[in-house]
Structures are given as C-alpha cells and as structure tokens.
Amino acid sequence: MTATRTPGLPVVEHGSLISTHPATGAEAGRVPIADAGAVAKAVERARSAAEWWAALGFDGRRARLLRWRALLTERIEELAELARSESGKPVADAIVETSAAVEHIDWSARNAKRVLGPRRTRTRLLVAEHSGHLEYQPFGMVGVIGPWNYPILTPVGPISGALAAGNAVVFKPSEYTPVVGQWLVDSFAEVVPEHPVLQAVHGLGEVGAALCRSGVDKIAFTGSTATAKKVMAACAENLVPVVIEAGGKDAMIVDADADVPAAAEAAVWGAMTNAGQTCIGIERVYAVAPVYDAFLAAVVDKAGKLRLGEEIGPMTMPAQVDVVRRHIDDALAAGGRAVLGGPDAVQAPTIAPTVLVDVPEESAAVREETFGPTLTVTRVADADEALSKANALPYGLGGAVFGKRNAIRIARRMRSGMVAVNSSLTFVGMGTLPFGGRGDSGFGRIHGEDGLREFAVAKSITVRRAPSVLPGMTFERTPAQVKRIVKALKLLYGRH
Ligand code: NDP
C-alpha cells in the first residue's frame, strides 16, 4: 500500500493493523485495532457468551469443538498458506503446526468430561458420615495472549483447553500474525454462530496489557520471559491467575550409545525448523566424546543441505535478525568457530543454517534464547557433564536425549518440563501430555489433563449422609465426644 513499508513490520493505518510477508512485504491482510474500550466491550460480550457456552455442557461443547476440528482439517491448506503469507514460514511447517493444533482440539473435546466432570471422592474415616464430591467448573472468561512464531498451535493449545472446560475466550494474537488469529476466530464462529464464545482483539502490546486489566478471570500467556513479567505484574493488580509459557534454550544430550545419524537428523530438525524461531527449539547440543565427531559431521552435512526459501523461510520479526547476528559474533569473538554458516549467513530477512563449536558456556549463544537457525555443539566427557551444562541456565522448557541404556534416566534428570527421547519436539503434538516449563520458561500447563484443569476451578462439595459419630465441628460436642475423637485419632494415626 505504502512505498515506505518495511517487510514483516506490522503497519497501523486508519485504525487497522496491516500484516505483511517478512520477505516480500506483500500484504497478508488487515484487522481492526482495538483500544481499551473495545477490549472492555469484548470482555463484556464474552461474559454472557460464557454462560451460554458453559450451559451447553461437556457433550454440547464436545460436538462443537469436534466440528471446529473438522473444519480446520478440511481447510488446512488454506490456513497453512495464510500462515506462510504473514509469518513467512514454509507451508509444510504450517501444515505440521496445524496437525498438532487439531490433535489438541480433538483430545480436549473428547476428554474434558472425564477429566473435569463431577465425581465422588473416597470416604475418609474421620468424616465418614459425609460423602465428598469434586468437579471442575469453568472460570468464566479466559484471556489468551499469543506469540507470532507458531500463530496456529500456540494459541489453539490454551484456547482448546479453555473452551473444552467451558470458558469463553478473548484472544490477543501477536501484532505480527493477527490475520491467522482472526481466521481461527472466524472459523470457530462458523461452528458456534450463536454467541461470541471466541473473540479476537488486535493491536500492539498495550492491547494485551488492557486484556490483563479487563476483568478476565484468567490469562494464558505465551511469549517472551520479559513480557511474561509485565503480564504477571498487570494481572497481580486484580489477582488474576496466569499460566505462563515463556522462552527457552533447550538442550539435546547425545549419549555414547545413541543412534548418531538419527540424533543428527533430530538436532537439525529441532534447531532449524521454522528458521529456529521455536520456543522448544534445540539451541544447544552436548555430545559425549566418543560420538562427538561423527555427530558433528552428520549435523553439518544435513544442515548444509537445507535450502533458503524452501525448508528455511525468512525471519518473521525483523528485529530478531540482530539478536541472531549478535549471538554469532559474540560466540566467534569468544573463541568459538562456525563449522557451518557464520556471520555471512545473516542476510536479512533470511539466515542460513549456522553450526557453532567451541563456544564458551558463558556466551550469549549458549545462555540466551537465539531464536534463529543456529546450533551450538559442545563436546562433553559423559552424560553427567552434559546434564550439569544443560541444567545450568535459568530456562527450563523442553529438551531431548539420544541414547539407549540411560536415555530415560538422563531425561528425568533434565531440568525441564518436557523431554523427547530419541526424537525432538515430539511432546508438543501429543494430546495426552501437559506442555510447559519451569524457571524462566514459566509455569502452569497447557495440553493434556493438566492443561484442562488449568482452565477450571476445583469445586469441592461435601454432603451429609448420616449423623456424626465423631462430631468435632460443632459447639454442641461433649467432652466425652472429644475424648472419643482423641482415641480414634491415636488409633488411626498415632502409630507407624
Ligand atoms: P512477546 O513476549 O514479545 O509477545 C507475546 C505477546 O504478548 C504478543 O501478543 C504481544 O503483543 C503481547 N504483549 C506485548 N507486550 C505486552 C504487555 N505489556 N502486556 C500484555 N501483552 C503484551 O513474544 P513474541 O511474540 O516475540 O514471541 C516469541 C517468544 O515467545 C519467545 O521468547 C518464545 O520462546 C516464546 N514462546 C514460548 C512458547 C511456549 O510455549 N513456552 C511457545 C512459543 C513462543 P505484540 O506482538 O502486539 O507486541
């Protein structure tokens, strides 16, 4: 539209947010920008929509969500092309991303009743005259704030959990990928036309901040650790609970009995897919000495065959190119070597695969999230050294282990929320598994049973079935009854 546009940078024009392809600058679409008033209105609309949606019950919601899943699947090519047009990612990557999103909608829809529905709890002897009942009720309205790197999967994870649990959702997509965000909302409205159960509010960071302060009952945030702290601060004002999916610096450990070609294939995929702009991307590898040389050679061979514009798209966010350049320069200045790529690989808006070795552990390329198609490979003596290096950072999102005899033991000892053994990133696409990190990578979980409970309030109910044998919780108890309580306690719990 305008000659001065920087490809990939969102443009605000006449109340619209215009989204462009990061390499060509071609317009991908435009959406209306919301102000604080519009956010408040969306939340108000969501309030009544939430009541209607909750009243549909698990079965009614399941039917709608499964229809949404089918619609996404039917139109997967259209959605993937849209994701390509505004994020620059290869269509094949967007297809794989959508397949994981579909999995989470399907699993949440089918399992919400089992996980969250009413159940009786076991009787306890001291209060045996009461039955216990537990159910998980929806919060009401959930705000979802999403990033640009996986504009389909990252919001659909919390959205599918929140919707299956019976909440309405107001979604703030990243300013870099609003058109995909709006597409998701519009497609949901096709299967749920009655009420605005899922809405989008668009704009820059301040729209996300307004959403945090809008009266929503819970915020699900996915994005950088720095923004996560701002989101928590805003939510703290009204004690709004949050689930935080933040950044990472995931490591892969390659043990002595690993299948080396398979490890190299998974490292290259984990590091380079989506041009490395992956929160659970493999950014560091620690390979034990006996397999180090063979592993490194295989990584360089495989990564060197990736083609710019085919497997590796442009960087979605122009500013990220400078971060990647700084990490590469810093690693080389500190004594590291580029065995593939290097400073010349950075040709904005694309970055060619870069593999760095001999990089000191204290350098930015090892400690900070790079978010580009780069990988450090470090030789270690054994799995213990690999673990102590892998676990040395404040981040703790995902990880990978290649090996046979000790692989699962090593996986357990990684300080992270998720680990893939003999593959990379796999856990993100498994509906049964919770997704989330620890430390600077955040807390709380999306996906799986924990992901459903994250969007529900545990409601405990007791129902009296008979008069009390040990009536402690009344002023009408007698000294003799208190004595009986003491006797029962000693009998039940006084010995071990
Ligand atoms: P940001 O933190 O910059 O932005 C995330 C979202 O927050 C965007 O929608 C952004 O809006 C919004 N936002 C910005 N400022 C505020 C504010 N003050 N209050 C509320 N919301 C705000 O992250 P990116 O979009 O750059 O995404 C990349 C990051 O996301 C990486 O660190 C990556 O590791 C992480 N990530 C984590 C995942 C996980 O599951 N753990 C998955 C995917 C990514 P706007 O874009 O308009 O500024």
Side-chain angles (χ1 to χ4, degrees), residues 145-150 154 172-176 203-206 208-209 212 221-225 227 230-231 245-248 278-279 317 369 371 397 435 441:
I145 301 176
W148 48 265
N149 61 338
Y150 287 85
T154 54
K172 151 73 176 81
S174 166
E175 69 202 53
Y176 291 92
L204 311 186
E206 71 257 18
C212 296
F221 172 81
T222 307
S224 64
T225 306
T227 308
K230 292 186 197 162
V231 164
E245 299 293 344
T278 305
C279 54
M317 193 170 68
E369 187 175 52
F371 234 52
L397 192 55
F435 183 97
S441 296

Short mmCIF file of all heavy atoms in Angstrom, two decimals, residues 145-150 154 172-176 203-206 208-209 212 221-225 227 230-231 245-248 278-279 317 369 371 397 435 441, ligand 1:
data_model
loop_
_atom_site.label_atom_id
_atom_site.label_comp_id
_atom_site.label_asym_id
_atom_site.label_seq_id
_atom_site.Cartn_x
_atom_site.Cartn_y
_atom_site.Cartn_z
N ILE A 145 -3.13 -14.66 25.27
CA ILE A 145 -2.21 -13.75 24.57
C ILE A 145 -1.17 -14.63 23.88
O ILE A 145 -0.53 -15.46 24.53
CB ILE A 145 -1.52 -12.80 25.57
CG1 ILE A 145 -2.57 -11.96 26.30
CG2 ILE A 145 -0.53 -11.89 24.83
CD1 ILE A 145 -2.00 -11.04 27.37
N GLY A 146 -1.03 -14.45 22.56
CA GLY A 146 -0.20 -15.39 21.80
C GLY A 146 0.97 -14.75 21.10
O GLY A 146 0.97 -13.54 20.84
N PRO A 147 1.98 -15.56 20.77
CA PRO A 147 3.14 -15.06 20.03
C PRO A 147 2.97 -15.27 18.52
O PRO A 147 1.97 -15.81 18.07
CB PRO A 147 4.27 -15.93 20.57
CG PRO A 147 3.60 -17.27 20.76
CD PRO A 147 2.15 -16.99 21.10
N TRP A 148 3.98 -14.89 17.76
CA TRP A 148 3.90 -14.93 16.30
C TRP A 148 4.55 -16.18 15.72
O TRP A 148 4.36 -16.50 14.56
CB TRP A 148 4.60 -13.71 15.70
CG TRP A 148 5.95 -13.46 16.30
CD1 TRP A 148 6.22 -12.61 17.33
CD2 TRP A 148 7.19 -14.08 15.97
NE1 TRP A 148 7.56 -12.66 17.65
CE2 TRP A 148 8.19 -13.56 16.83
CE3 TRP A 148 7.59 -15.04 15.02
CZ2 TRP A 148 9.53 -13.95 16.78
CZ3 TRP A 148 8.92 -15.43 14.97
CH2 TRP A 148 9.88 -14.88 15.84
N ASN A 149 5.38 -16.89 16.51
CA ASN A 149 6.23 -17.91 15.87
C ASN A 149 5.44 -19.15 15.45
O ASN A 149 5.74 -19.76 14.44
CB ASN A 149 7.42 -18.27 16.76
CG ASN A 149 7.01 -18.83 18.10
OD1 ASN A 149 5.89 -18.61 18.57
ND2 ASN A 149 7.90 -19.55 18.73
N TYR A 150 4.47 -19.56 16.27
CA TYR A 150 3.54 -20.62 15.88
C TYR A 150 2.13 -20.06 16.08
O TYR A 150 1.48 -20.33 17.08
CB TYR A 150 3.78 -21.89 16.72
CG TYR A 150 5.05 -22.59 16.31
CD1 TYR A 150 6.28 -22.21 16.83
CD2 TYR A 150 5.02 -23.60 15.35
CE1 TYR A 150 7.46 -22.82 16.42
CE2 TYR A 150 6.20 -24.22 14.93
CZ TYR A 150 7.41 -23.83 15.47
OH TYR A 150 8.57 -24.44 15.04
N THR A 154 0.26 -22.30 19.07
CA THR A 154 0.42 -21.75 20.42
C THR A 154 -0.88 -21.20 20.99
O THR A 154 -1.16 -21.44 22.16
CB THR A 154 1.55 -20.71 20.52
OG1 THR A 154 1.34 -19.70 19.56
CG2 THR A 154 2.92 -21.32 20.34
N LYS A 172 -5.81 -12.31 22.11
CA LYS A 172 -4.98 -11.23 21.53
C LYS A 172 -3.82 -11.90 20.79
O LYS A 172 -2.86 -12.36 21.40
CB LYS A 172 -4.47 -10.33 22.66
CG LYS A 172 -3.14 -9.63 22.42
CD LYS A 172 -3.23 -8.50 21.42
CE LYS A 172 -1.88 -7.78 21.29
NZ LYS A 172 -0.93 -8.49 20.40
N PRO A 173 -3.91 -11.95 19.44
CA PRO A 173 -2.79 -12.53 18.68
C PRO A 173 -1.62 -11.55 18.66
O PRO A 173 -1.80 -10.36 18.92
CB PRO A 173 -3.36 -12.70 17.27
CG PRO A 173 -4.80 -12.35 17.34
CD PRO A 173 -5.00 -11.51 18.57
N SER A 174 -0.45 -12.04 18.31
CA SER A 174 0.70 -11.16 18.13
C SER A 174 0.40 -10.16 17.01
O SER A 174 -0.29 -10.48 16.04
CB SER A 174 1.93 -11.98 17.75
OG SER A 174 2.94 -11.12 17.27
N GLU A 175 0.97 -8.97 17.13
CA GLU A 175 0.79 -7.96 16.07
C GLU A 175 1.41 -8.42 14.75
O GLU A 175 1.10 -7.88 13.70
CB GLU A 175 1.41 -6.64 16.52
CG GLU A 175 2.93 -6.67 16.58
CD GLU A 175 3.53 -5.60 17.49
OE1 GLU A 175 3.11 -5.51 18.65
OE2 GLU A 175 4.41 -4.87 17.01
N TYR A 176 2.29 -9.46 14.81
CA TYR A 176 2.93 -9.96 13.59
C TYR A 176 2.07 -11.00 12.88
O TYR A 176 2.33 -11.30 11.72
CB TYR A 176 4.31 -10.57 13.92
CG TYR A 176 5.31 -9.52 14.33
CD1 TYR A 176 5.49 -9.19 15.66
CD2 TYR A 176 6.05 -8.83 13.37
CE1 TYR A 176 6.40 -8.21 16.04
CE2 TYR A 176 6.96 -7.84 13.74
CZ TYR A 176 7.13 -7.54 15.08
OH TYR A 176 8.01 -6.57 15.45
N GLY A 203 -4.00 -5.57 18.06
CA GLY A 203 -3.23 -4.35 18.29
C GLY A 203 -1.85 -4.69 18.79
O GLY A 203 -1.39 -5.83 18.68
N LEU A 204 -1.19 -3.68 19.34
CA LEU A 204 0.18 -3.87 19.82
C LEU A 204 0.14 -4.33 21.27
O LEU A 204 -0.92 -4.71 21.80
CB LEU A 204 0.95 -2.56 19.66
CG LEU A 204 0.84 -1.90 18.26
CD1 LEU A 204 1.78 -0.70 18.18
CD2 LEU A 204 1.14 -2.88 17.14
N GLY A 205 1.29 -4.27 21.91
CA GLY A 205 1.38 -4.80 23.28
C GLY A 205 0.37 -4.23 24.24
O GLY A 205 -0.11 -4.92 25.14
N GLU A 206 0.01 -2.94 24.04
CA GLU A 206 -0.89 -2.32 25.03
C GLU A 206 -2.28 -2.96 25.02
O GLU A 206 -3.00 -2.90 26.01
CB GLU A 206 -0.98 -0.80 24.84
CG GLU A 206 -1.72 -0.34 23.61
CD GLU A 206 -0.77 0.12 22.51
OE1 GLU A 206 0.43 -0.24 22.58
OE2 GLU A 206 -1.23 0.80 21.58
N GLY A 208 -2.71 -6.19 24.74
CA GLY A 208 -2.51 -7.33 25.65
C GLY A 208 -2.58 -6.86 27.10
O GLY A 208 -3.21 -7.50 27.95
N ALA A 209 -1.94 -5.71 27.37
CA ALA A 209 -1.95 -5.18 28.73
C ALA A 209 -3.37 -4.83 29.16
O ALA A 209 -3.78 -5.10 30.30
CB ALA A 209 -1.04 -3.95 28.81
N CYS A 212 -5.24 -7.88 30.18
CA CYS A 212 -4.89 -8.33 31.54
C CYS A 212 -5.71 -7.58 32.60
O CYS A 212 -5.99 -8.12 33.66
CB CYS A 212 -3.41 -8.10 31.82
SG CYS A 212 -2.32 -9.06 30.78
N PHE A 221 -0.74 -16.81 28.89
CA PHE A 221 0.22 -16.02 28.12
C PHE A 221 1.27 -16.94 27.50
O PHE A 221 1.86 -17.78 28.19
CB PHE A 221 0.91 -14.99 29.02
CG PHE A 221 2.05 -14.29 28.33
CD1 PHE A 221 1.82 -13.23 27.47
CD2 PHE A 221 3.37 -14.72 28.50
CE1 PHE A 221 2.87 -12.59 26.79
CE2 PHE A 221 4.43 -14.10 27.84
CZ PHE A 221 4.17 -13.03 26.98
N THR A 222 1.53 -16.75 26.21
CA THR A 222 2.67 -17.40 25.56
C THR A 222 3.49 -16.31 24.90
O THR A 222 2.96 -15.55 24.09
CB THR A 222 2.21 -18.42 24.50
OG1 THR A 222 1.28 -19.32 25.10
CG2 THR A 222 3.37 -19.22 23.97
N GLY A 223 4.75 -16.22 25.25
CA GLY A 223 5.61 -15.19 24.67
C GLY A 223 6.93 -15.16 25.42
O GLY A 223 7.31 -16.15 26.05
N SER A 224 7.59 -14.03 25.36
CA SER A 224 8.93 -13.96 25.94
C SER A 224 8.88 -13.83 27.47
O SER A 224 7.87 -13.39 28.04
CB SER A 224 9.68 -12.76 25.36
OG SER A 224 9.02 -11.58 25.74
N THR A 225 9.97 -14.18 28.10
CA THR A 225 10.05 -14.10 29.56
C THR A 225 9.90 -12.65 30.03
O THR A 225 9.25 -12.38 31.04
CB THR A 225 11.40 -14.68 30.03
OG1 THR A 225 11.52 -16.00 29.48
CG2 THR A 225 11.49 -14.77 31.54
N THR A 227 8.20 -10.15 28.61
CA THR A 227 6.80 -9.73 28.57
C THR A 227 5.98 -10.48 29.61
O THR A 227 5.05 -9.92 30.20
CB THR A 227 6.20 -9.96 27.16
OG1 THR A 227 7.06 -9.35 26.20
CG2 THR A 227 4.83 -9.34 27.03
N LYS A 230 5.77 -8.57 32.71
CA LYS A 230 4.84 -7.43 32.63
C LYS A 230 3.40 -7.92 32.76
O LYS A 230 2.57 -7.29 33.40
CB LYS A 230 5.00 -6.70 31.29
CG LYS A 230 6.33 -5.98 31.15
CD LYS A 230 6.32 -5.19 29.85
CE LYS A 230 7.73 -4.80 29.47
NZ LYS A 230 7.85 -4.43 28.07
N VAL A 231 3.12 -9.05 32.11
CA VAL A 231 1.76 -9.62 32.16
C VAL A 231 1.42 -9.99 33.61
O VAL A 231 0.33 -9.68 34.12
CB VAL A 231 1.66 -10.85 31.22
CG1 VAL A 231 0.44 -11.68 31.53
CG2 VAL A 231 1.64 -10.38 29.77
N GLU A 245 3.68 -19.46 29.46
CA GLU A 245 4.52 -20.27 28.56
C GLU A 245 5.55 -19.32 27.96
O GLU A 245 5.23 -18.55 27.05
CB GLU A 245 3.67 -20.89 27.44
CG GLU A 245 2.57 -21.83 27.90
CD GLU A 245 3.11 -23.10 28.51
OE1 GLU A 245 4.30 -23.40 28.32
OE2 GLU A 245 2.33 -23.79 29.20
N ALA A 246 6.76 -19.32 28.50
CA ALA A 246 7.74 -18.32 28.09
C ALA A 246 8.88 -18.96 27.29
O ALA A 246 8.75 -20.07 26.78
CB ALA A 246 8.24 -17.57 29.31
N GLY A 247 9.97 -18.25 27.19
CA GLY A 247 11.05 -18.66 26.30
C GLY A 247 11.83 -19.87 26.79
O GLY A 247 11.56 -20.41 27.87
N GLY A 248 12.80 -20.27 26.00
CA GLY A 248 13.60 -21.43 26.37
C GLY A 248 14.97 -21.40 25.71
O GLY A 248 15.28 -20.51 24.90
N THR A 278 11.53 -21.20 17.42
CA THR A 278 10.72 -22.20 18.10
C THR A 278 11.05 -22.15 19.59
O THR A 278 12.22 -22.27 19.96
CB THR A 278 11.04 -23.61 17.54
OG1 THR A 278 10.86 -23.58 16.12
CG2 THR A 278 10.17 -24.68 18.15
N CYS A 279 10.00 -21.98 20.42
CA CYS A 279 10.29 -21.87 21.86
C CYS A 279 10.97 -23.14 22.37
O CYS A 279 11.86 -23.08 23.21
CB CYS A 279 9.02 -21.58 22.65
SG CYS A 279 7.71 -22.76 22.35
N MET A 317 10.25 -11.76 12.46
CA MET A 317 10.32 -10.45 13.12
C MET A 317 11.66 -9.80 12.76
O MET A 317 12.71 -10.33 13.14
CB MET A 317 10.19 -10.65 14.63
CG MET A 317 9.93 -9.38 15.39
SD MET A 317 9.51 -9.71 17.11
CE MET A 317 11.05 -10.33 17.74
N GLU A 369 18.24 -16.96 24.63
CA GLU A 369 17.43 -17.50 23.55
C GLU A 369 17.83 -16.82 22.24
O GLU A 369 17.75 -15.60 22.12
CB GLU A 369 15.95 -17.24 23.86
CG GLU A 369 15.02 -17.92 22.90
CD GLU A 369 13.56 -17.74 23.31
OE1 GLU A 369 13.13 -16.60 23.54
OE2 GLU A 369 12.84 -18.76 23.39
N PHE A 371 16.75 -17.88 18.94
CA PHE A 371 15.55 -17.83 18.10
C PHE A 371 15.91 -17.66 16.63
O PHE A 371 15.28 -16.88 15.90
CB PHE A 371 14.64 -16.69 18.57
CG PHE A 371 13.24 -17.16 18.86
CD1 PHE A 371 13.02 -18.23 19.71
CD2 PHE A 371 12.13 -16.53 18.30
CE1 PHE A 371 11.74 -18.67 19.98
CE2 PHE A 371 10.84 -16.97 18.56
CZ PHE A 371 10.65 -18.04 19.41
N LEU A 397 12.52 -25.31 29.65
CA LEU A 397 11.30 -25.60 28.90
C LEU A 397 11.28 -27.07 28.45
O LEU A 397 10.67 -27.90 29.11
CB LEU A 397 11.18 -24.63 27.73
CG LEU A 397 9.85 -24.58 26.99
CD1 LEU A 397 8.69 -24.31 27.93
CD2 LEU A 397 9.87 -23.51 25.89
N PHE A 435 2.06 -29.50 28.60
CA PHE A 435 3.13 -28.72 27.96
C PHE A 435 3.41 -27.49 28.82
O PHE A 435 2.50 -26.74 29.17
CB PHE A 435 2.67 -28.29 26.57
CG PHE A 435 3.71 -27.53 25.78
CD1 PHE A 435 4.51 -28.19 24.85
CD2 PHE A 435 3.87 -26.17 25.95
CE1 PHE A 435 5.47 -27.49 24.12
CE2 PHE A 435 4.83 -25.47 25.23
CZ PHE A 435 5.63 -26.13 24.31
N SER A 441 11.22 -20.24 32.04
CA SER A 441 10.34 -20.69 30.96
C SER A 441 8.87 -20.68 31.36
O SER A 441 8.01 -20.98 30.53
CB SER A 441 10.74 -22.09 30.49
OG SER A 441 12.03 -22.06 29.93
P1 NDP B 1 6.41 -11.26 23.13
O1 NDP B 1 6.59 -11.51 24.58
O2 NDP B 1 7.07 -10.08 22.52
O3 NDP B 1 4.85 -11.12 22.78
C1 NDP B 1 3.91 -12.11 23.14
C2 NDP B 1 2.51 -11.50 23.14
O4 NDP B 1 2.38 -10.56 24.21
C3 NDP B 1 2.19 -10.70 21.87
O5 NDP B 1 0.84 -10.88 21.53
C4 NDP B 1 2.47 -9.29 22.31
O6 NDP B 1 1.80 -8.34 21.53
C5 NDP B 1 1.91 -9.32 23.72
N1 NDP B 1 2.40 -8.23 24.57
C6 NDP B 1 3.45 -7.40 24.39
N2 NDP B 1 3.58 -6.54 25.44
C7 NDP B 1 2.57 -6.85 26.30
C8 NDP B 1 2.17 -6.33 27.57
N3 NDP B 1 2.84 -5.35 28.18
N4 NDP B 1 1.11 -6.88 28.18
C9 NDP B 1 0.43 -7.92 27.60
N5 NDP B 1 0.76 -8.43 26.40
C10 NDP B 1 1.82 -7.91 25.75
O7 NDP B 1 6.84 -12.61 22.40
P2 NDP B 1 6.94 -12.88 20.85
O8 NDP B 1 5.63 -12.65 20.20
O9 NDP B 1 8.16 -12.17 20.33
O10 NDP B 1 7.20 -14.46 20.83
C11 NDP B 1 8.46 -15.03 20.96
C12 NDP B 1 8.68 -15.53 22.37
O11 NDP B 1 7.65 -16.43 22.71
C13 NDP B 1 9.96 -16.33 22.53
O12 NDP B 1 10.60 -15.96 23.73
C14 NDP B 1 9.47 -17.76 22.60
O13 NDP B 1 10.34 -18.63 23.27
C15 NDP B 1 8.19 -17.59 23.31
N6 NDP B 1 7.33 -18.74 23.07
C16 NDP B 1 7.07 -19.59 24.11
C17 NDP B 1 6.31 -20.71 23.88
C18 NDP B 1 5.98 -21.65 24.97
O14 NDP B 1 5.03 -22.38 24.80
N7 NDP B 1 6.68 -21.68 26.09
C19 NDP B 1 5.81 -21.03 22.53
C20 NDP B 1 6.12 -20.05 21.55
C21 NDP B 1 6.87 -18.95 21.83
P3 NDP B 1 2.57 -7.67 20.29
O15 NDP B 1 3.07 -8.78 19.43
O16 NDP B 1 1.50 -6.89 19.66
O17 NDP B 1 3.69 -6.86 20.89
#
